[in-house]
Amino acid sequence: MTADASDEVEIRNALLRLRRGTGLPVAFGGLMEAGQQMRISELSGTATHALRSLVVTSGTGLGGKTVALSRPCVVTDYSASRQISHEYDAPVAVEGLRSVLAVPVVVRHRVRGVLYGALRTALPLGGRMLDTAVEAARDVERALVVRDEARTLVAGAGAGVGPGWEQVREAHAALRALAPRITDPELRAELLGACALLTAGTGPSARVRLAPREVDVLACVAAGATNAVAAQRLGVTPETVKGYLRSAMRKLRARTRGEAVVAARRAGWLP
């Protein structure tokens, strides 16, 4: 998958979370480009632009080692470390960085980017800091997976190839069911944004206002789920599902489940 501006926004947000969670004053990162190269595109807390647009090749420096090994790497004193090569010492020195950690963003066993956190003093970066940085990378990974799936499904359906509309609808139902379980509000909003992509971007009609859970239930019904299966997916009781379904049917002026699904699609709530 090719990175776009929205993917870089994920890196930017993850760097802010990394700094807040670890207390590290500096964070930076970027996504992989063609071949085995990663370009640092996002800076947070830096004093200079020395690292901006720096291209890091797999296997070189700390970030390149992280890409090659597909695992987090840490150095306590960057310029003096014997654990890495030193192709990027000059820009690192301009920024005054000493202790640096790097964690990979891995999607489907492929490194898609790297997040860095750093100190301007040579101090050990503890396990808690590394764990927090890894979790920030996991957030990016989850967002990229959702975006990749949405792009593939929408592109395939629009071109008449690849996954058909039934699979699009199943994916939409699965994403809607997953959204309430996401605790990060930014990531949850991104996931719901991906759901909107699957409705062909038409947007819901202002004439019919459905509650989020009513849409969730209708999405499950549209994918062929029974009330019991929908309840299991959504983490509610079958009676609750029935209540949401009755409410949605009333708003959509539908007499049956099937009519409700058709009306919801016409109103732009479902793919």
Side-chain angles (χ1 to χ4, degrees):
M1 287 287 176
T2 303
D4 63 17
S6 60
D7 294 339
E8 299 211 342
V9 169
E10 284 301 329
I11 295 290
R12 191 179 312 146
N13 292 338
L15 295 178
L16 293 174
R17 292 194 293 273
L18 188 157
R19 289 182 64 198
R20 286 197 300 264
T22 63
L24 293 173
V26 179
F28 49 100
L31 295 163
M32 298 298 293
E33 297 186 331
Q36 293 294 304
Q37 294 185 323
M38 185 271 298
R39 182 181 298 273
I40 295 174
S41 61
E42 303 299 325
L43 309 177
S44 181
T46 52
T48 73
H49 294 289
L51 298 169
R52 169 100 43 203
S53 297
L54 182 67
V55 175
V56 177
T57 303
S58 177
T60 60
L62 181 66
K65 181 177 179 180
T66 295
V67 171
L69 298 179
S70 190
R71 63 172 175 80
C73 297
V74 182
V75 293
T76 300
D77 191 342
Y78 191 98
S79 63
S81 176
R82 297 182 179 180
Q83 301 171 10
I84 60 172
S85 60
H86 290 276
E87 291 84 353
Y88 314 109
D89 281 9
V92 172
V94 169
E95 186 58 42
L97 304 181
R98 301 288 295 281
S99 295
V100 186
L101 60 81
V103 296
V105 174
V106 184
V107 177
R108 296 189 178 91
H109 309 292
R110 183 166 67 91
V111 177
R112 291 277 293 273
V114 178
L115 304 182
Y116 300 80
L119 286 171
R120 293 189 173 89
T121 52
L123 295 172
L125 299 179
R128 184 187 65 82
M129 288 186 179
L130 189 58
D131 289 345
T132 300
V134 168
E135 187 53 40
R138 297 297 88 85
D139 287 345
V140 178
E141 291 167 8
R142 288 188 285 267
L144 293 183
V145 167
V146 169
R147 283 207 180 93
D148 287 354
E149 291 294 339
R151 290 170 188 148
T152 299
L153 288 166
V154 172
V161 298
W165 274 111
E166 287 308 312
Q167 289 170 282
V168 171
R169 288 159 183 161
E170 289 176 6
H172 180 264
L175 293 175
R176 293 283 321 187
L178 176 63
R181 306 176 199 172
I182 303 296
T183 57
D184 186 321
E186 293 178 355
L187 183 57
R188 185 168 58 251
E190 290 288 347
L191 191 149
L192 291 174
C195 290
L197 289 176
L198 296 178
T199 61
T202 57
S205 168
R207 294 191 300 272
V208 179
R209 295 187 179 277
L210 297 178
R213 273 310 206 188
E214 291 169 351
V215 179
D216 295 342
V217 168
L218 286 172
C220 289
V221 171
T226 63
N227 288 350
V229 171
Q232 185 177 20
R233 289 181 181 175
L234 299 175
V236 298
T237 67
E239 287 302 317
T240 300
V241 168
K242 290 179 183 179
Y244 285 127
L245 186 55
R246 282 194 297 268
S247 176
M249 289 170 63
R250 184 176 63 255
K251 293 177 181 179
L252 293 164
R253 298 181 180 179
R255 293 172 295 176
T256 67
R257 295 157 63 94
E259 286 183 4
V261 168
V262 171
R265 285 176 182 156
R266 287 174 178 166
W269 289 100
L270 297 178

